Amino acid sequence: MLSNIRIVLVQTYHPGNIGASARAMKTMGLENLLLVNPRCFPDPEASRLAAGAEDVVANARVVTSLAEAVGDCVQVVGASARLRSLPLPHFDEPADMAETLVANASDDPVALVFGRERFGLTNDEIRHCSHQVSIPANPDYGILNLSQAVQVLAYEVFRAWRQRPDSGFRAPRPSPERQPTREQLGHFHDHLSRVMQASGFITQPHARTEDQLQALFARARPSRKELSLLRGLLSALEERPDDT
Amino acid sequence: MLSNIRIVLVQTYHPGNIGASARAMKTMGLENLLLVNPRCFPDPEASRLAAGAEDVVANARVVTSLAEAVGDCVQVVGASARLRSLPLPHFDEPADMAETLVANASDDPVALVFGRERFGLTNDEIRHCSHQVSIPANPDYGILNLSQAVQVLAYEVFRAWRQRPDSGFRAPRPSPERQPTREQLGHFHDHLSRVMQASGFITQPHARTEDQLQALFARARPSRKELSLLRGLLSALEERPDDT
């Protein structure tokens, strides 16, 4: 599915942006890079900025026209900061764009097209697109660096993919701690209550104060180990000789 | 609200990353940059990569400890690609993190903290955090460049802000075209039907074919101008002498 998604960079001026874009792509599971008439490629700057994504740079296809890059795609989304006069279907939200792009990528090649650093895409190039997308940004300063725009849209594409039941993506997590039982929590509450009374903090069972503290600990959701730790602290406080 | 959000970069190695991060911030409405012991700052590379965000770089506060940077914040989110042993509350989804960060920023300063390019944040630094967040990424290659991570999280923060009713953010859109009335659409359907019959494409009113084409045009939602254009084309086709 993700392998059906092409990232197309049109006439990129700075080879460093090609490398940084390749890195951005790879962190988001995308490896299919096409370059339409890059000004300066291959170039050491592209490899340097690629960091661990040099393979994406090395495997990049260089073509001489956008038609060649996307002719066999079923959906071609032009990323542009500037609204043009062509009323193509337009996504205001990259997340919405990503959802359709990933859905279409199940069956057919699709493409996300980025223009030149300064000038974006020409109207002629937008004619090769089925959709446009822009990244909502600061109205006073809204033009992202090219590789940053690639990173944001790749992030949204990866997210749309992750959230599909068929992706099988699992966020890496440390193994969950065991939770205490209601009974164990009850013992803790009683223990806390005894220590509060013994210390003179409350002179008799005081429902409101006790409820508030119990609620606080409930929000913290202590694990069994943490509850044990708290019980140990309470025991040490009970045994401490009073300062008289 | 957004001005209450601090972006804190801890011991950044490459000054270029400071500049690129400043640019990323500004495109997403964030201008409050703090640098904890940057290796090399000020530096021409920081200004160069900042592009139009040099003001963010110029106004960056340089401090010598993370405590100084975030001591008065009510929420401090550490961004880390690496899970540590401290079981801080952790956001798997940057969007969820952004929602809480922006909500808290209504009233108090909050911070989003990024670590060193290679080593991230130390456990000591994570102790200054109330939460952690990671950017879900390719399990085989998931470490984003520092300024790219800033861009993605800033994008999510801006999005959380935009989506709040009190933000007043409006996506820039070209003025909407006027839509045709049902009556005008009806004329168009009749016209299309006449031309299809006159051409021999259908020999008599054919409900299914006509329905399908009408549905296609309905999905396209032609504006009044576009409908006019289509009517003109149909008229021209009607007048064209048959090729016999």
Side-chain angles (χ1 to χ4, degrees):
Chain A
M1 196 179 290
L2 289 181
S3 59
N4 254 344
I5 301 176
R6 292 177 200 169
I7 302 296
V8 182
L9 306 184
V10 176
Q11 278 209 303
T12 309
Y13 192 88
H14 296 291
N17 280 332
I18 294 176
S21 297
R23 179 178 183 174
M25 284 170 63
K26 191 169 178 176
T27 60
M28 296 294 146
L30 302 172
E31 304 205 339
N32 211 330
L33 175 60
L34 277 86
L35 307 171
V36 181
N37 291 329
R39 182 185 67 103
C40 202
F41 186 82
D43 187 278
E45 270 302 274
S47 304
R48 187 176 77 82
L49 273 284
E54 281 176 3
D55 56 331
V56 175
V57 173
N59 294 330
R61 260 180 69 201
V62 180
V63 295
T64 52
S65 72
L66 185 52
E68 201 182 332
V70 304
D72 59 337
C73 292
V74 302
Q75 182 182 18
V76 180
V77 180
S80 180
R82 301 163 184 84
L83 293 174
R84 302 282 174 167
S85 53
L86 293 173
L88 278 182
H90 186 273
F91 293 103
D92 283 336
E93 286 292 353
D96 298 336
M97 176 281 293
E99 221 177 296
T100 74
L101 197 73
V102 170
N104 284 320
S106 307
D107 301 314
D108 295 289
V110 297
L112 194 43
V113 182
F114 296 82
R116 302 152 188 78
E117 288 93 326
R118 281 183 183 275
F119 308 116
L121 296 169
T122 63
N123 276 357
D124 249 357
E125 285 154 356
I126 292 173
R127 283 189 190 99
H128 286 91
C129 300
S130 56
H131 299 81
Q132 291 189 108
V133 68
S134 47
I135 298 172
N138 181 351
D140 297 329
Y141 183 73
I143 315 292
L144 278 68
N145 162 270
L146 170 62
S147 65
Q148 302 276 44
V150 173
Q151 181 75 78
V152 169
L153 295 185
Y155 161 78
E156 285 288 16
V157 166
F158 189 64
R159 178 154 71 145
W161 173 78
R162 283 192 284 116
Q163 290 180 344
R164 290 172 65 100
D166 55 7
S167 76
F169 179 83
R170 286 278 175 279
R173 258 183 215 156
S175 357
E177 296 276 335
R178 286 203 73 193
Q179 305 230 41
T181 61
R182 300 306 299 163
E183 193 179 2
Q184 287 167 327
L185 277 165
H187 290 319
F188 167 67
H189 294 155
D190 295 339
H191 200 167
L192 180 63
S193 180
R194 282 196 313 271
V195 170
M196 288 201 292
Q197 288 186 65
S199 71
F201 180 64
I202 56 178
T203 46
Q204 52 187 317
H206 193 280
R208 192 147 179 274
T209 303
E210 303 206 40
D211 282 348
Q212 281 188 317
L213 282 174
Q214 285 171 24
L216 174 69
F217 282 108
R219 286 204 311 277
R221 280 188 293 134
S223 64
R224 276 192 196 193
K225 276 172 47 177
E226 289 166 336
L227 205 66
S228 220
L229 203 145
L230 288 168
R231 295 290 306 270
L233 172 62
L234 288 172
S235 298
L237 289 168
E238 277 179 321
E239 283 164 37
R240 198 180 61 173
D242 286 335
D243 298 330
T244 37
Chain B
M1 198 180 289
L2 289 181
S3 59
N4 254 343
I5 301 177
R6 291 177 202 170
I7 302 298
V8 183
L9 306 184
V10 176
Q11 280 208 304
T12 309
Y13 192 88
H14 296 291
N17 279 333
I18 294 177
S21 297
R23 179 179 184 175
M25 285 169 61
K26 191 169 179 177
T27 60
M28 295 293 146
L30 302 171
E31 303 204 340
N32 212 330
L33 175 60
L34 277 85
L35 306 171
V36 180
N37 290 328
R39 182 186 66 104
C40 202
F41 185 82
D43 187 279
E45 270 301 275
S47 305
R48 186 176 77 82
L49 273 286
E54 280 176 4
D55 56 330
V56 175
V57 173
N59 295 330
R61 259 182 69 201
V62 180
V63 295
T64 53
S65 72
L66 186 52
E68 202 181 332
V70 304
D72 59 337
C73 292
V74 302
Q75 183 182 17
V76 180
V77 180
S80 180
R82 300 163 184 82
L83 294 173
R84 302 281 175 169
S85 52
L86 292 172
L88 278 182
H90 186 273
F91 292 103
D92 283 336
E93 286 291 352
D96 298 336
M97 176 281 292
E99 222 178 296
T100 74
L101 197 74
V102 170
N104 284 321
S106 309
D107 302 313
D108 297 287
V110 296
L112 193 42
V113 182
F114 297 82
R116 302 151 188 79
E117 288 92 329
R118 279 184 185 277
F119 308 116
L121 296 168
T122 62
N123 276 358
D124 250 357
E125 285 154 356
I126 292 173
R127 282 190 190 99
H128 286 91
C129 300
S130 57
H131 299 79
Q132 291 189 109
V133 69
S134 48
I135 297 172
N138 180 352
D140 297 329
Y141 182 73
I143 315 290
L144 278 67
N145 161 270
L146 171 61
S147 66
Q148 302 276 42
V150 173
Q151 181 75 77
V152 169
L153 296 185
Y155 162 80
E156 284 288 17
V157 165
F158 189 64
R159 178 153 71 143
W161 173 78
R162 284 191 285 117
Q163 292 181 342
R164 290 172 64 101
D166 56 6
S167 75
F169 179 82
R170 286 280 174 278
R173 257 180 216 160
S175 357
E177 295 277 336
R178 286 205 72 194
Q179 306 228 39
T181 61
R182 300 305 299 164
E183 193 178 5
Q184 287 167 328
L185 277 166
H187 290 318
F188 167 68
H189 294 155
D190 294 339
H191 200 169
L192 179 63
S193 182
R194 284 196 311 272
V195 171
M196 287 201 289
Q197 289 185 66
S199 71
F201 180 63
I202 55 181
T203 46
Q204 53 188 317
H206 193 278
R208 191 144 181 275
T209 303
E210 303 206 43
D211 282 349
Q212 281 188 316
L213 283 175
Q214 285 171 25
L216 174 69
F217 283 109
R219 287 203 312 276
R221 279 189 293 135
S223 64
R224 277 193 194 190
K225 277 171 48 174
E226 289 168 335
L227 206 66
S228 220
L229 205 147
L230 287 169
R231 295 291 305 270
L233 173 63
L234 288 172
S235 297
L237 287 167
E238 278 179 318
E239 284 161 35
R240 196 180 61 173
D242 287 335
D243 298 331
T244 39

